[in-house]
Amino acid sequence: MFKIYFLLFILLSSAFSFSQQDADIKSLEYKIYKAKEDTSKVNLLFNLSQLYRKSKQTDLEKETTIKALSLSKKLQYKSGINTAYKFEGERLARLNQNNEAIQEFEKCLLFTKTNDKSNYKYICARLGRLYYLIGNYPSSLQYMLEALKTAELLKDDASVGKYSGNIGNIYSQINEQEKALDYYLKALTIAQKCNNTQSIATNKVQIGGVFFHQNEYDKAFEFYMDALKINEEIQKTYFLANNYLVLAQCEIKRKHLTEANSYLTKAKALAIKSQDYEMLSSINIELSKLMIEKANYLEAEKYALEGLEIARKYNFVESRLSTLYYLADINDSLKDYKDAFFYFAEYTDLNDSLNNMEFKKTILEKEISYEYEKKEVLAKAEFEKQQALNKIELQRRKQALQLLEQNNLLNELQLNQSTILLKQNQVESKANKRKLSLLKKEKLLQESYSREKSKELARQRFIRNWFVFGAIVFLFMALFIFRSLKKSKAQNQLIEEQKLIVEQQKQLVEAHNTEIVDSITYAKRIQHAILPSLESISNAFPNSFVYYQPKDIVAGDFYWMEKAGDLLFLAVADSTGHGVPGALVSVVCSNALNRSVLEFDLTEPGEVLDKTREIVLETFSKNGEEIKDGMDISLCVFDQKKACVKWSGANNPLWYIQAGELKEIKPNKQAIGKVDNPESFTTHTISIDQETQFYLFTDGYADQFGGEKGKKFMYKQFKELLVSTHQTPSAFQKHMLQDTFNDWKRHHEQVDDICVIGIRI
């Protein structure tokens, strides 16, 4: 009976909780409906998004966050923009859409204030974790080291310990176990100092993992068991499940198969309960290994395939790598050599991409960079501390000098007081002498008083007469002012009527302006529809970035991509003008490129540009008017079979970097459009026998005015910037371009559309 009452209590509590949550949502929706378009409304939208998240209404959570982002951009509310990108990144991360979550957090990083170190630290840590999950360890290490550096600057011991453990995980994944152990020990020391029992258990598991990879299984088992005692007391699902998992791994190596099976059963139950798919994938791998040890290969294959399906679905790179290895081994034991070869080939490709020498070189470079920056920050902090002490000492001396001056002033006042007393005595003596003189004069004054009285009466009569005259003048002035006020009132009424007419005309103009802006905004959607998606470019060129920043709502600059057989066409173009005219020209030029490749089957870039010019001229000459609009363009054709790139350009050059040296191919000095003495465009061929970074761009970046003297950025600085960042990840290159541009532009207006594409082959 008690159980029934308890169950009813739980159900009623849940129902009340949901109804209360719905009531809170309705109340907040009404407040937002009534709120003005300001930052308070933005914050209300964020509160509503959080309520949707708690009630697991993912679509409404996304929709509300997008509204908050749109209003923040309209108000130029940077804090709101930052929060919106963060909310959307967290939502995507919860859905295991890690690549999309990375894009949102990188946008968030751009709007993080330089003095908001705590938020900057958090975003870097999230990016480090997300890059770790997709197997991009250089980017993961870069952001995690930045988070660690900021945490140390803030003296945030808890975060320093957490991030040190995460960095240890990265080194462990690339088999740098000694470095991993250094970071784990650092994390454990901080956890013990802070008395953080969960962190102590986690770091003991990680240290045990280092000994496990060094084949010291008994020592690893000791650390795992120490951690288990803590985790079984705390009873947090993820940490307890992970503890059971590593114990099972260790027991498999020690040939204690019954104990291993018991640990894996407990771990799997917890992972299924918490829907932790990354953990579930790892558990299936260990179950497969356990079945291999028992020579039960069919069961082993079943668990391995289940783990591979999860790893592929959620892009768990390490789980996928391990599963492929064991599937190849299982199929070899089952004499299914075809599937064994297939799985081993996929395993080899993935493993090579994660463990090549260039990869380890990147890791080392980032570690050295971190150590240098850390020392630089500490030195700067010490310098600022010394400056503060010097300032305090200077203030102390200044106060002492002021006190000395006050003492001198007091002595001077006392001396003046003595002088004043002496003079006062002299004055009193003179006053007595004057008193005698005044008594003599008093009699004379009484005699003159009678004379002055008769004069006063005459003066009063004179004043009375003038007062009467002034009253008459005042009356006439009052009449004049009354007439003026009446006339002024009529004029004010006329002005109010004219003001009403002007206000009506203003509203009409604003309505027309809104219609125009809405039309241009819709035109932006149409223009974006002709641009290739960033996802398609990323799929075609994994190591690439697109920096596209129109001057107005719509742009004259555009980028274009098309595939024909084994050939990939990619172009960056600058149409005549910007804004609406430039956008119209860009549509015509993009269509001409499509026809040249798809309709006329042209593959040489020079021939494509010749045909494009012909189509553009034909389009602009249909009504007989002479239109000289066109475009400048840089067009590349990537031949995957022949390992070469063919290029042709109209007024825009091609830059590419090989072995750290930037090389330039000059374009034909003629536009795609009506020109005097047109020539055929030249095709250039570049052999790709080593790693090459290509850059396609328009003139908007180099022509931007800014800096301290308000001058152009110029191509020389542009080249130096690209050379200095060409070996960094593509996402970082894009951030550097954006940050440098914004620092240079400052308060100046953007003068032209900007489009830069970087591709590493």
Side-chain angles (χ1 to χ4, degrees):
M1 196 68 175
F2 173 77
K3 290 182 178 179
I4 295 173
Y5 286 139
F6 180 74
L7 182 59
L8 287 172
F9 173 75
I10 294 296
L11 291 172
L12 288 171
S13 299
S14 300
F16 176 77
S17 175
F18 282 122
S19 62
Q20 181 62 42
Q21 202 168 62
D22 289 340
D24 291 342
I25 288 173
K26 294 295 182 186
S27 173
L28 201 50
E29 286 175 340
Y30 181 75
K31 286 182 181 178
I32 291 169
Y33 173 74
K34 289 290 187 181
K36 295 180 180 179
E37 297 281 303
D38 56 15
T39 56
S40 297
K41 185 172 182 178
V42 173
N43 294 329
L44 288 173
L45 285 166
F46 285 137
N47 292 338
L48 181 59
S49 178
Q50 287 180 311
L51 285 177
Y52 284 139
R53 174 178 61 79
K54 291 177 181 177
S55 60
K56 298 184 179 179
Q57 301 182 62
T58 306
D59 292 338
L60 289 174
E61 177 191 358
K62 178 182 178 181
E63 180 183 332
T64 307
T65 302
I66 290 172
K67 287 180 182 178
L69 175 61
S70 177
L71 181 56
S72 296
K73 286 182 176 179
K74 181 180 177 182
L75 299 172
Q76 296 183 342
Y77 181 31
K78 288 189 176 182
S79 179
I81 296 172
N82 175 289
T83 304
Y85 285 136
K86 187 193 296 183
F87 272 34
E88 181 60 8
E90 295 291 4
R91 186 187 72 83
L92 291 166
R94 289 197 304 274
L95 296 173
N96 290 311
Q97 298 177 20
N98 296 326
N99 287 309
E100 294 80 358
I102 285 170
Q103 293 178 9
E104 296 302 316
F105 277 112
E106 286 181 338
K107 292 176 190 175
C108 179
L109 203 59
L110 295 175
F111 287 91
T112 301
K113 295 179 181 178
T114 54
N115 61 347
D116 191 359
K117 298 293 185 185
S118 180
N119 191 37
Y120 176 74
K121 172 200 70 176
Y122 173 79
I123 296 167
C124 286
R126 291 295 287 126
L127 281 166
R129 174 61 181 165
L130 289 166
Y131 272 118
Y132 178 84
L133 289 175
I134 65 171
N136 187 340
Y137 298 126
S139 295
S140 176
L141 182 63
Q142 172 192 341
Y143 283 114
M144 202 57 75
L145 286 172
E146 188 68 20
L148 177 61
K149 180 182 71 176
T150 309
E152 288 175 336
L153 190 63
L154 294 172
K155 297 182 179 178
D156 182 357
D157 288 341
S159 294
V160 170
K162 180 179 178 182
Y163 302 154
S164 295
N166 290 340
I167 293 169
N169 291 339
I170 298 170
Y171 280 119
S172 179
Q173 289 298 339
I174 62 169
N175 206 24
E176 294 283 349
Q177 301 302 331
E178 293 299 326
K179 289 184 179 179
L181 184 59
D182 289 342
Y183 279 100
Y184 289 149
L185 290 172
K186 179 179 179 180
L188 179 60
T189 301
I190 294 172
Q192 290 170 337
K193 176 184 174 183
C194 299
N195 197 25
N196 186 335
T197 52
Q198 184 61 79
S199 185
I200 292 170
T202 300
N203 284 292
K204 286 196 173 186
V205 168
Q206 291 168 332
I207 292 169
V210 172
F211 291 117
F212 180 86
H213 284 98
Q214 293 174 343
N215 301 327
E216 297 184 41
Y217 304 122
D218 292 337
K219 201 165 186 179
F221 187 79
E222 290 178 13
F223 277 97
Y224 292 158
M225 289 304 295
D226 287 345
L228 185 62
K229 293 174 185 176
I230 300 172
N231 282 323
E232 286 183 334
E233 289 179 6
I234 298 173
Q235 283 293 316
K236 286 189 177 179
T237 305
Y238 169 80
F239 297 104
L240 187 56
N242 184 62
N243 210 153
Y244 286 139
L245 174 61
V246 295
L247 278 165
Q249 291 172 336
C250 199
E251 291 293 56
I252 290 171
K253 290 292 184 181
R254 299 201 313 167
K255 305 299 181 183
H256 299 163
L257 303 185
T258 303
E259 290 82 353
N261 187 62
S262 174
Y263 287 131
L264 288 172
T265 302
K266 293 177 182 178
K268 191 166 186 177
L270 292 171
I272 292 171
K273 178 182 177 182
S274 61
Q275 295 184 340
D276 189 336
Y277 296 108
E278 184 180 10
M279 178 75 69
L280 197 56
S281 177
S282 299
I283 291 167
N284 277 302
I285 293 171
E286 296 307 316
L287 284 167
S288 179
K289 288 161 64 176
L290 182 62
M291 292 300 109
I292 291 172
E293 289 291 330
K294 294 181 177 182
N296 189 345
Y297 297 110
L298 291 176
E299 279 293 304
E301 185 179 30
K302 184 189 80 171
Y303 286 122
L305 288 172
E306 185 180 339
L308 182 61
E309 181 183 357
I310 296 170
R312 281 178 170 161
K313 182 177 180 180
Y314 296 107
N315 195 23
F316 299 142
V317 178
E318 285 301 321
S319 295
R320 182 178 153 207
L321 185 69
S322 298
T323 310
L324 288 168
Y325 177 83
Y326 288 110
L327 276 169
D329 188 32
I330 292 165
N331 280 276
D332 182 64
S333 299
L334 292 171
K335 312 245 182 250
D336 188 349
Y337 301 117
K338 181 179 178 181
D339 282 353
F341 176 77
F342 170 78
Y343 287 123
F344 189 73
E346 187 177 352
Y347 163 80
T348 304
D349 290 342
L350 185 59
N351 188 56
D352 288 346
S353 68
L354 293 176
N355 294 289
N356 59 64
M357 291 303 293
E358 186 63 29
F359 178 87
K360 291 190 176 181
K361 178 183 176 184
T362 305
I363 292 286
L364 182 60
E365 287 175 350
K366 293 186 183 302
E367 182 182 18
I368 293 170
S369 173
Y370 160 71
E371 291 296 335
Y372 172 77
E373 290 178 4
K374 177 180 174 183
K375 291 178 181 178
E376 187 178 32
V377 168
L378 292 174
K380 182 179 178 182
E382 183 63 28
F383 175 76
E384 290 176 350
K385 178 181 177 183
Q386 188 60 45
Q387 288 289 93
L389 290 173
N390 292 341
K391 188 175 180 180
I392 292 170
E393 177 63 21
L394 183 63
Q395 187 68 24
R396 188 188 64 77
R397 293 183 180 182
K398 186 176 180 180
Q399 290 174 349
L401 182 61
Q402 288 175 346
L403 183 62
L404 181 62
E405 289 176 350
Q406 289 173 358
N407 291 335
N408 291 336
L409 182 61
L410 183 62
N411 293 334
E412 186 176 347
L413 287 171
Q414 291 174 347
L415 180 62
N416 290 338
Q417 188 176 7
S418 300
T419 305
I420 289 168
L421 289 172
L422 179 62
K423 289 183 178 180
Q424 186 176 355
N425 292 332
Q426 293 175 351
V427 168
E428 288 177 355
S429 176
K430 290 181 180 179
N432 290 330
K433 293 179 181 179
R434 285 182 182 178
K435 193 172 182 180
L436 293 173
S437 176
L438 288 172
L439 289 173
K440 294 178 182 177
K441 292 178 179 179
E442 185 176 355
K443 186 178 179 180
L444 295 173
L445 287 173
Q446 288 176 349
E447 293 175 354
S448 65
Y449 175 73
S450 58
R451 293 194 299 270
E452 288 294 330
K453 189 173 182 180
S454 60
K455 291 181 181 178
E456 178 66 21
L457 290 172
R459 188 164 63 84
Q460 287 177 356
R461 285 194 297 272
F462 178 77
I463 291 172
R464 181 193 62 195
N465 293 336
W466 272 104
F467 179 77
V468 172
F469 176 75
I472 295 169
V473 172
F474 177 77
L475 181 62
F476 279 106
M477 288 179 66
L479 290 171
F480 175 76
I481 291 170
F482 176 75
R483 290 184 62 190
S484 298
L485 287 173
K486 188 174 181 181
K487 186 177 180 181
S488 176
K489 184 177 181 181
Q491 291 175 341
N492 286 339
Q493 186 175 359
L494 180 61
I495 290 170
E496 285 295 326
E497 292 174 355
Q498 292 174 343
K499 183 179 178 182
L500 180 61
I501 293 170
V502 170
E503 185 66 29
Q504 291 173 345
Q505 292 175 343
K506 178 186 175 186
Q507 292 175 356
L508 184 61
V509 169
E510 288 177 347
H512 286 311
N513 184 58
T514 301
E515 290 178 3
I516 292 169
V517 171
D518 289 344
S519 297
I520 295 174
T521 303
Y522 188 75
K524 177 184 177 182
R525 292 176 58 191
I526 295 173
Q527 187 182 34
H528 271 240
I530 71 170
L531 296 175
S533 68
L534 296 179
E535 183 179 0
S536 64
I537 293 177
S538 179
N539 289 336
F541 303 101
N543 295 315
S544 65
F545 69 86
V546 177
Y547 177 30
Y548 184 58
Q549 186 168 318
K551 177 183 184 294
D552 303 309
I553 297 175
V554 291
D557 283 14
F558 68 96
Y559 51 94
W560 172 84
M561 188 179 78
E562 192 57 66
K563 184 173 182 181
D566 294 323
L567 302 180
L568 276 171
F569 294 79
L570 182 66
V572 168
D574 181 2
S575 302
T576 305
H578 47 75
V580 175
L584 291 173
V585 176
S586 74
V587 172
V588 172
C589 294
S590 177
N591 181 57
L593 286 167
N594 287 331
R595 289 186 60 194
S596 298
V597 174
L598 300 177
E599 183 179 337
F600 293 96
D601 296 326
L602 298 175
T603 58
E604 292 293 317
E607 294 177 359
V608 171
L609 294 187
D610 290 335
K611 177 54 71 174
T612 300
R613 175 170 59 190
E614 181 183 327
I615 295 170
V616 169
L617 291 174
E618 179 185 346
T619 303
F620 285 150
S621 63
K622 285 186 177 180
N623 65 352
E625 294 185 13
E626 183 179 2
I627 297 176
K628 295 184 178 181
D629 291 323
M631 66 173 172
D632 299 335
I633 189 170
S634 177
L635 172 63
C636 279
V637 180
F638 296 86
D639 191 331
Q640 297 174 347
K641 280 190 174 181
K642 297 181 180 179
C644 69
V645 175
K646 293 185 179 181
W647 176 85
S648 185
N651 286 332
N652 283 348
L654 174 69
W655 292 351
Y656 64 97
I657 300 176
Q658 290 181 336
E661 180 184 358
L662 187 143
K663 302 176 183 179
E664 179 178 1
I665 301 179
K666 302 288 186 181
N668 291 89
K669 291 297 181 180
Q670 58 182 1
I672 302 295
K674 188 171 181 60
V675 296
D676 297 329
N677 303 318
E679 300 175 354
S680 297
F681 286 95
T682 306
T683 296
H684 303 268
T685 302
I686 305 157
S687 176
I688 307 177
D689 53 0
Q690 57 182 303
E691 183 177 272
T692 307
Q693 179 83 36
F694 291 93
Y695 294 101
L696 292 77
F697 51 87
T698 60
D699 59 359
Y701 199 99
D703 287 349
Q704 177 61 43
F705 288 96
E708 294 181 357
K709 298 182 180 179
K711 293 185 176 181
K712 286 186 178 182
F713 190 78
M714 304 302 286
Y715 284 100
K716 182 180 177 182
Q717 283 196 87
F718 191 22
K719 286 181 180 179
E720 291 172 353
L721 175 60
L722 294 178
V723 171
S724 66
T725 61
H726 80 280
Q727 290 183 331
T728 62
S730 297
F732 183 76
Q733 291 188 53
K734 179 179 177 180
H735 291 326
M736 285 301 297
L737 284 170
Q738 289 174 321
D739 290 346
T740 304
F741 180 81
N742 292 331
D743 289 344
W744 179 262
K745 180 170 75 71
R746 294 183 184 174
H747 59 275
H748 293 80
E749 182 183 359
Q750 185 174 332
V751 299
D752 200 357
D753 303 320
I754 293 172
C755 186
V756 182
I757 294 181
I759 299 168
R760 180 178 296 149
I761 304 295

